[in-house]
Amino acid sequence: MPLPPACPRCGDTDIDIVTVPPTDHGYEGWETAIECDDCDERVFARELDE
């Protein structure tokens, strides 16, 4: 599934696509996430599939 062009929480388009190391989250391995500057949220790509 491709990542959305906007934050899935607030809809703002001022987002960054980041790769997060395993020490910064509860999942195993490196994870791709969307970080929103407007609502200050991090949404992991795997959460979009749920």
Side-chain angles (χ1 to χ4, degrees), residues 26-39:
Y27 303 120
E28 285 199 23
W30 289 76
E31 290 288 326
T32 302
I34 296 170
E35 288 186 346
C36 179
D37 293 335
D38 189 49
C39 68

Side-chain angles (χ1 to χ4, degrees), residues 1-2 7-10 12 14-15 22 25 27 30 34 48:
M1 173 181 181
C7 175
R9 303 262 198 257
C10 72
D12 189 45
D14 189 13
I15 60 171
H25 58 78
Y27 303 120
W30 289 76
I34 296 170
L48 298 173

Side-chain angles (χ1 to χ4, degrees), residues 1-9 15-21 24-36 41-50:
M1 173 181 181
L3 294 174
C7 175
R9 303 262 198 257
I15 60 171
D16 295 313
I17 306 300
V18 296
T19 304
V20 185
D24 289 355
H25 58 78
Y27 303 120
E28 285 199 23
W30 289 76
E31 290 288 326
T32 302
I34 296 170
E35 288 186 346
C36 179
E41 288 286 326
R42 177 184 283 169
V43 180
F44 288 97
R46 70 170 44 219
E47 295 170 354
L48 298 173
D49 294 336
E50 296 175 349

